[in-house]
């Protein structure tokens, strides 16, 4: 069986393009049916296996069949998203064989996520596998791929600290917020902007299930797209001063050339909050938040430079953790490839089974003979000697006979094979 995958994710494509290829969970079954019919026609193989993983950050198609059909899969997905194959090719990745396993294992382990080590993707993958099973689209090969993905992810999480180390400014912001607020699930957060940095930051904070998330953006339409993904509300930038007091944390990153949040607005918000603290992060360059605000008693304001030091502190630990996770994944990939190779042996497998059956038959005969000798009162050493000699003779009889058969060339070939099988250096077995 050939295995291949086609994907588009937050590394390769912008949010709007990813949105074209998003499939709701209840759409997976009919979509898989259409995909399998299309691939069956292309490959002429009636048992094509397929699965689709579709989240906010990625859409990936996994397939298995007698022969790969990468271009056909690309064309099918492009058509489903209403774009040309050239556009999709520029923003996607096509993988085959061991590369498919490596990618799936990294995704399941949280190494390919927007937030390093996040656990949500594993649940989403399991839902996708169940949907494929329910649709009758999952066979032995893809089932093995995904079950091994889950096992590798479990080992990564139990053997490393993959979820403990920050990898970005956004993760550092979460860590600092956690130092100020005892429980992040009880705070209200305002995100100002809707670009990539805010998308990343909001994903980190959303993982902590805050009480409320609001997206403030100059263009409501773009803000609504991000808010929809997070289950958040939206507001216009002009409305921020009137609602600033409602939020415990404000994270801002826009392209504005002038500060959006001024000193006076924050002072008024603090009065309404009765001086309950406000956590503020300014990820923008130039600044979105006036620097004088940092001097206010109940405000904890951090800039990009402040967060950079937190990220730097965690850098060494993060690299070591990722290296450990990658080593586990490498071992998992090797095992999957070996399993695939064994399946491709074809007629060799029945031969191996026949050899094992013959060896078991000889062993049973010699054990039965040894038991009879013991019952007659024969010495133990004599019985063991007879057992080992009888078993050796049975196993070597065919080999010895073959060495005397055929012409000189055939005997030479047989002798070379016997030498390779029986007289190899014992050190190779250690």
């Amino acid at each position: 069986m050939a295995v291949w995958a086609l994907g588009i994710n937050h590394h390769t494509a912008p949010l709007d393009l990813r949105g074209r290829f998003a499939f709701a969970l209840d759409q997976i079954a009919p979509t898989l049916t259409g995909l399998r019919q299309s691939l069956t026609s292309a490959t002429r193989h009636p048992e094509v296996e397929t699965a689709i993983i579709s989240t906010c950050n990625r859409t990936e198609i996994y397939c298995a069949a007698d022969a790969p059909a990468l271009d056909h899969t690309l064309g099918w997905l492009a058509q489903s998203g209403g774009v040309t194959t050239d556009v999709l090719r520029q923003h996607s990745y096509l993988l085959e064989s061991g590369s498919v396993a490596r990618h799936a294992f990294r995704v399941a382990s949280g190494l390919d996520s927007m937030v390093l080590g996040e656990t949500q993707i594993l649940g989403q993958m399991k839902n996708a596998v169940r949907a494929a099973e329910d649709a009758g689209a999952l066979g032995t090969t893809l089932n093995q791929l995904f079950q091994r993905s889950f096992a590798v992810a479990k080992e990564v999480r139990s053997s490393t600290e993959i979820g403990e180390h920050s990898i970005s400014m956004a993760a550092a912001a979460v860590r600092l917020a956690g130092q100020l607020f005892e429980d992040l699930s009880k705070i209200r957060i305002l995100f100002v902007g809707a670009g990539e940095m805010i998308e990343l930051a909001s994903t980190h904070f959303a993982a902590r299930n805050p009480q409320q998330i609001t997206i403030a953006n100059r263009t409501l339409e773009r803000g609504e797209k991000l808010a929809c993904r997070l289950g958040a509300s939206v507001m216009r930038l002009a409305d921020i001063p009137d609602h600033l007091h409602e939020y415990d944390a404000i994270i801002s990153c826009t392209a504005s050339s002038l500060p959006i949040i001024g000193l006076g607005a924050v002072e008024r918000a603090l009065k309404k909050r009765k001086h309950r603290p406000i956590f503020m992060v300014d990820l923008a360059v130039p600044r979105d938040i006036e620097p004088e605000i940092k001097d206010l008693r109940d405000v904890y304001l951090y800039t990009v430079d402040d967060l950079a030091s937190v990220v730097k502190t965690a850098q060494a630990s993060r690299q070591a953790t990722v290296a450990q996770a990658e080593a586990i994944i490498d071992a998992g990939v090797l095992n999957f490839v070996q399993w695939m190779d064994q399946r491709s042996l074809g007629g060799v497998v029945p031969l191996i089974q026949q050899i094992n059956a013959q060896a078991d038959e000889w062993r049973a005969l010699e054990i039965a003979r040894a038991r009879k000798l013991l019952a007659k009162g024969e010495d133990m050493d004599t019985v063991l000697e007879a057992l080992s000699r009888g078993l050796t003779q049975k196993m070597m009889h065919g080999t010895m006979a073959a060495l005397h058969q055929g012409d000189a060339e055939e005997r030479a070939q047989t002798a070379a094979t016997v030498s390779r099988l029986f007289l190899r250096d014992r050190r190779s077995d250690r």
Side-chain angles (χ1 to χ4, degrees), residues 331-380:
V333 172
L334 179 61
N335 288 335
F336 179 74
V337 171
Q338 289 175 343
W339 177 80
M340 290 285 289
D341 289 343
Q342 289 173 355
R343 292 194 72 204
S344 68
L345 288 175
V348 176
V349 174
L351 176 60
I352 293 173
Q353 293 172 340
Q354 291 174 14
I355 292 173
N356 285 331
Q358 180 67 80
D360 285 341
E361 182 180 342
W362 288 334
R363 181 177 59 83
L365 286 172
E366 291 304 320
I367 288 177
R369 181 175 299 173
R371 285 172 175 164
K372 288 181 180 179
L373 292 174
L374 289 172
K376 292 180 179 179
E378 291 286 350
D379 178 67
M380 176 66 74

Coordinates of all heavy atoms in Angstrom, one line a residue, residues 331-380:
A331 N 11.8 7.2 16.3 CA 11.6 5.7 16.6 C 10.3 5.2 16.1 O 10.1 4.1 15.6 CB 11.8 5.5 18.1
G332 N 9.2 6.1 16.4 CA 7.9 5.7 15.9 C 7.8 5.6 14.4 O 7.2 4.7 13.8
V333 N 8.5 6.5 13.7 CA 8.5 6.5 12.2 C 9.2 5.2 11.7 O 8.7 4.5 10.8 CB 9.2 7.7 11.7 CG1 9.3 7.6 10.2 CG2 8.3 9.0 12.0
L334 N 10.3 4.9 12.3 CA 11.0 3.7 11.9 C 10.2 2.4 12.1 O 10.1 1.6 11.2 CB 12.3 3.6 12.8 CG 13.2 2.3 12.5 CD1 13.7 2.3 11.0 CD2 14.4 2.3 13.4
N335 N 9.5 2.3 13.2 CA 8.6 1.2 13.4 C 7.5 1.1 12.4 O 7.1 0.0 12.0 CB 8.0 1.2 14.9 CG 9.1 1.0 15.9 OD1 10.1 0.3 15.7 ND2 8.9 1.5 17.1
F336 N 6.9 2.3 12.1 CA 5.8 2.2 11.1 C 6.3 1.8 9.7 O 5.7 1.0 9.0 CB 5.2 3.6 11.0 CG 4.0 3.7 10.0 CD1 2.8 3.1 10.3 CD2 4.2 4.4 8.8 CE1 1.8 3.2 9.4 CE2 3.2 4.4 7.9 CZ 2.0 3.9 8.2
V337 N 7.4 2.4 9.3 CA 8.0 2.0 8.0 C 8.3 0.5 8.0 O 8.1 -0.2 7.0 CB 9.3 2.9 7.8 CG1 10.0 2.3 6.5 CG2 8.9 4.3 7.6
Q338 N 8.9 0.0 9.1 CA 9.2 -1.5 9.1 C 7.9 -2.3 9.0 O 7.8 -3.3 8.3 CB 9.9 -1.8 10.4 CG 11.3 -1.3 10.5 CD 12.0 -1.5 11.8 OE1 11.3 -1.8 12.8 NE2 13.3 -1.5 11.8
W339 N 6.8 -1.8 9.7 CA 5.5 -2.5 9.6 C 5.0 -2.5 8.1 O 4.5 -3.5 7.6 CB 4.5 -1.8 10.5 CG 3.1 -2.4 10.4 CD1 2.7 -3.5 11.0 CD2 2.0 -1.9 9.7 NE1 1.4 -3.8 10.7 CE2 0.9 -2.8 9.9 CE3 1.8 -0.8 8.9 CZ2 -0.3 -2.6 9.3 CZ3 0.6 -0.6 8.3 CH2 -0.5 -1.5 8.5
M340 N 5.2 -1.3 7.5 CA 4.8 -1.2 6.1 C 5.6 -2.2 5.2 O 5.0 -2.9 4.3 CB 4.9 0.2 5.6 CG 3.9 1.2 6.2 SD 2.3 1.0 5.5 CE 2.5 1.7 3.8
D341 N 6.9 -2.2 5.4 CA 7.8 -3.1 4.7 C 7.4 -4.6 4.8 O 7.4 -5.4 3.9 CB 9.2 -2.9 5.1 CG 9.8 -1.6 4.6 OD1 9.2 -1.0 3.7 OD2 10.8 -1.1 5.2
Q342 N 7.0 -5.0 6.1 CA 6.6 -6.3 6.3 C 5.4 -6.7 5.6 O 5.2 -7.8 5.1 CB 6.4 -6.5 7.8 CG 7.7 -6.5 8.6 CD 7.5 -6.6 10.1 OE1 6.4 -6.5 10.6 NE2 8.6 -6.7 10.9
R343 N 4.4 -5.7 5.5 CA 3.2 -6.0 4.8 C 3.5 -6.2 3.3 O 2.8 -6.9 2.6 CB 2.2 -4.8 4.9 CG 1.7 -4.7 6.3 CD 0.5 -3.8 6.4 NE -0.7 -4.4 5.7 CZ -1.7 -3.7 5.2 NH1 -1.6 -2.4 5.2 NH2 -2.7 -4.3 4.7
S344 N 4.5 -5.5 2.8 CA 4.8 -5.6 1.4 C 5.6 -6.8 1.0 O 5.9 -7.1 -0.2 CB 5.7 -4.4 0.9 OG 6.9 -4.4 1.5
L345 N 6.0 -7.7 2.0 CA 6.7 -8.9 1.7 C 5.9 -9.9 0.9 O 6.4 -10.7 0.2 CB 7.1 -9.6 3.0 CG 8.2 -8.9 3.8 CD1 8.5 -9.6 5.1 CD2 9.5 -8.8 3.0
G346 N 4.5 -9.8 1.0 CA 3.7 -10.6 0.2 C 3.8 -12.1 0.5 O 3.6 -12.6 1.6
G347 N 4.3 -12.9 -0.5 CA 4.4 -14.3 -0.4 C 5.4 -14.8 0.6 O 5.5 -16.0 0.9
V348 N 6.3 -13.9 1.1 CA 7.3 -14.4 2.0 C 6.7 -14.7 3.4 O 7.1 -15.6 4.1 CB 8.4 -13.3 2.2 CG1 9.4 -13.7 3.3 CG2 9.1 -13.0 0.9
V349 N 5.6 -14.0 3.7 CA 5.0 -14.2 5.0 C 4.4 -15.6 5.1 O 4.7 -16.3 6.1 CB 3.8 -13.2 5.2 CG1 3.1 -13.5 6.5 CG2 4.4 -11.8 5.3
P350 N 3.7 -16.2 4.1 CA 3.3 -17.6 4.3 C 4.5 -18.5 4.4 O 4.4 -19.5 5.1 CB 2.5 -17.8 2.9 CG 2.0 -16.5 2.6 CD 3.1 -15.5 3.0
L351 N 5.6 -18.2 3.7 CA 6.8 -19.1 3.8 C 7.3 -19.1 5.2 O 7.6 -20.2 5.8 CB 7.8 -18.6 2.8 CG 9.2 -19.4 2.9 CD1 8.9 -20.9 2.6 CD2 10.2 -18.8 1.9
I352 N 7.4 -17.9 5.8 CA 7.8 -17.8 7.2 C 6.9 -18.6 8.1 O 7.4 -19.3 9.0 CB 7.9 -16.4 7.7 CG1 9.0 -15.6 6.9 CG2 8.2 -16.2 9.2 CD1 9.0 -14.1 7.1
Q353 N 5.6 -18.5 7.9 CA 4.7 -19.3 8.7 C 4.9 -20.8 8.6 O 4.8 -21.6 9.5 CB 3.2 -18.9 8.3 CG 2.9 -17.4 8.7 CD 1.6 -17.0 8.2 OE1 1.0 -17.6 7.2 NE2 1.0 -15.9 8.7
Q354 N 5.1 -21.2 7.3 CA 5.4 -22.7 7.1 C 6.6 -23.2 7.8 O 6.7 -24.3 8.3 CB 5.4 -22.9 5.6 CG 4.1 -22.7 4.8 CD 4.3 -22.8 3.3 OE1 5.3 -23.3 2.8 NE2 3.3 -22.4 2.6
I355 N 7.7 -22.4 7.7 CA 8.9 -22.7 8.4 C 8.7 -22.8 9.9 O 9.2 -23.8 10.5 CB 10.0 -21.7 8.1 CG1 10.4 -21.8 6.6 CG2 11.3 -21.9 8.9 CD1 11.4 -20.7 6.1
N356 N 8.0 -21.9 10.5 CA 7.8 -21.9 11.9 C 6.9 -23.2 12.3 O 7.2 -23.8 13.3 CB 7.1 -20.7 12.3 CG 8.0 -19.4 12.4 OD1 9.2 -19.6 12.6 ND2 7.4 -18.3 12.2
A357 N 5.9 -23.5 11.4 CA 5.1 -24.6 11.7 C 5.9 -25.9 11.6 O 5.7 -26.8 12.5 CB 3.9 -24.7 10.7
Q358 N 6.8 -26.0 10.6 CA 7.7 -27.2 10.5 C 8.6 -27.4 11.7 O 8.8 -28.5 12.3 CB 8.5 -27.1 9.2 CG 9.4 -28.3 9.0 CD 8.6 -29.6 8.7 OE1 8.2 -29.8 7.6 NE2 8.5 -30.4 9.7
A359 N 9.2 -26.2 12.1 CA 10.1 -26.3 13.3 C 9.3 -26.7 14.6 O 9.8 -27.5 15.4 CB 10.7 -24.9 13.5
D360 N 8.1 -26.2 14.7 CA 7.3 -26.6 15.9 C 7.0 -28.1 15.9 O 7.0 -28.7 16.9 CB 6.0 -25.8 15.9 CG 6.2 -24.3 16.3 OD1 7.3 -24.1 17.0 OD2 5.3 -23.5 16.1
E361 N 6.7 -28.6 14.7 CA 6.4 -30.0 14.5 C 7.6 -30.9 14.9 O 7.5 -31.9 15.7 CB 6.0 -30.4 13.1 CG 5.6 -31.8 12.9 CD 5.3 -32.1 11.4 OE1 4.9 -31.2 10.7 OE2 5.3 -33.3 11.1
W362 N 8.8 -30.5 14.4 CA 10.0 -31.2 14.8 C 10.3 -31.2 16.3 O 10.7 -32.1 17.0 CB 11.2 -30.7 14.1 CG 11.2 -31.0 12.6 CD1 10.6 -32.1 12.0 CD2 11.9 -30.3 11.6 NE1 10.8 -32.0 10.6 CE2 11.6 -30.9 10.3 CE3 12.6 -29.1 11.5 CZ2 12.1 -30.5 9.1 CZ3 13.1 -28.6 10.3 CH2 12.8 -29.3 9.1
R363 N 10.1 -30.0 16.9 CA 10.4 -29.8 18.3 C 9.4 -30.7 19.1 O 9.8 -31.3 20.1 CB 10.1 -28.3 18.7 CG 10.4 -28.0 20.1 CD 10.2 -26.5 20.4 NE 8.9 -26.0 20.0 CZ 7.8 -26.1 20.8 NH1 8.0 -26.7 22.0 NH2 6.7 -25.7 20.4
A364 N 8.1 -30.7 18.7 CA 7.1 -31.6 19.4 C 7.5 -33.0 19.4 O 7.4 -33.8 20.4 CB 5.7 -31.3 18.8
L365 N 8.0 -33.5 18.2 CA 8.4 -34.9 18.1 C 9.6 -35.3 19.0 O 9.6 -36.3 19.7 CB 8.8 -35.2 16.6 CG 7.6 -35.3 15.6 CD1 8.2 -35.4 14.2 CD2 6.7 -36.5 15.9
E366 N 10.6 -34.4 19.0 CA 11.7 -34.7 19.9 C 11.4 -34.6 21.3 O 11.9 -35.4 22.2 CB 12.9 -33.7 19.5 CG 13.5 -33.9 18.1 CD 14.0 -35.4 17.9 OE1 14.5 -35.9 18.9 OE2 13.7 -35.9 16.9
I367 N 10.5 -33.7 21.7 CA 10.1 -33.6 23.1 C 9.4 -34.9 23.6 O 9.6 -35.4 24.6 CB 9.3 -32.3 23.4 CG1 10.1 -31.1 23.3 CG2 8.6 -32.4 24.7 CD1 9.4 -29.8 23.5
A368 N 8.5 -35.3 22.7 CA 7.7 -36.5 22.9 C 8.7 -37.7 23.1 O 8.5 -38.6 24.0 CB 6.7 -36.8 21.8
R369 N 9.7 -37.8 22.2 CA 10.6 -38.9 22.3 C 11.5 -38.8 23.6 O 11.7 -39.8 24.3 CB 11.6 -38.9 21.1 CG 12.6 -40.0 21.1 CD 13.4 -39.9 19.8 NE 12.6 -40.1 18.7 CZ 13.0 -40.0 17.4 NH1 14.3 -39.6 17.2 NH2 12.2 -40.2 16.4
A370 N 11.8 -37.6 24.0 CA 12.6 -37.4 25.3 C 11.8 -37.8 26.5 O 12.3 -38.4 27.4 CB 13.0 -35.9 25.4
R371 N 10.5 -37.5 26.5 CA 9.6 -37.9 27.6 C 9.5 -39.4 27.7 O 9.5 -40.0 28.9 CB 8.3 -37.3 27.4 CG 8.2 -35.8 27.7 CD 6.9 -35.1 27.4 NE 6.9 -33.7 27.8 CZ 6.0 -32.8 27.4 NH1 5.1 -33.2 26.5 NH2 6.1 -31.6 27.8
K372 N 9.5 -40.1 26.6 CA 9.4 -41.6 26.6 C 10.7 -42.2 27.2 O 10.6 -43.1 28.0 CB 9.2 -42.1 25.2 CG 7.8 -41.9 24.7 CD 7.7 -42.5 23.3 CE 6.2 -42.2 22.7 NZ 6.1 -42.8 21.3
L373 N 11.8 -41.6 26.8 CA 13.1 -42.1 27.4 C 13.2 -41.8 28.9 O 13.7 -42.7 29.6 CB 14.3 -41.4 26.7 CG 14.5 -41.8 25.2 CD1 15.6 -40.9 24.5 CD2 14.8 -43.3 25.0
L374 N 12.7 -40.7 29.3 CA 12.7 -40.4 30.8 C 11.8 -41.3 31.5 O 12.1 -41.8 32.6 CB 12.3 -38.9 31.0 CG 13.3 -37.8 30.6 CD1 12.6 -36.4 30.7 CD2 14.5 -37.9 31.5
A375 N 10.7 -41.7 30.9 CA 9.7 -42.6 31.5 C 10.3 -44.0 31.7 O 10.0 -44.7 32.6 CB 8.4 -42.7 30.7
K376 N 11.3 -44.3 30.8 CA 11.9 -45.6 30.9 C 13.1 -45.6 31.9 O 13.7 -46.7 32.1 CB 12.4 -46.0 29.5 CG 11.3 -46.3 28.5 CD 11.9 -46.7 27.1 CE 10.7 -47.0 26.1 NZ 11.3 -47.4 24.8
G377 N 13.4 -44.4 32.4 CA 14.4 -44.4 33.4 C 15.8 -44.0 32.9 O 16.8 -44.2 33.5
E378 N 15.8 -43.5 31.6 CA 17.1 -43.1 31.0 C 17.7 -41.9 31.8 O 17.0 -41.1 32.3 CB 16.9 -42.7 29.5 CG 16.6 -43.9 28.6 CD 17.8 -44.8 28.4 OE1 18.9 -44.4 28.7 OE2 17.6 -45.9 27.8
D379 N 19.1 -41.9 31.7 CA 19.8 -40.8 32.4 C 19.4 -39.4 31.8 O 19.3 -39.3 30.5 CB 21.3 -41.0 32.3 CG 22.1 -39.9 32.9 OD1 22.0 -39.7 34.1 OD2 22.7 -39.2 32.1
M380 N 19.3 -38.4 32.6 CA 18.9 -37.0 32.1 C 19.8 -36.5 31.0 O 19.4 -36.0 30.0 CB 18.8 -36.0 33.2 CG 18.5 -34.6 32.8 SD 16.8 -34.4 32.1 CE 15.8 -34.5 33.6

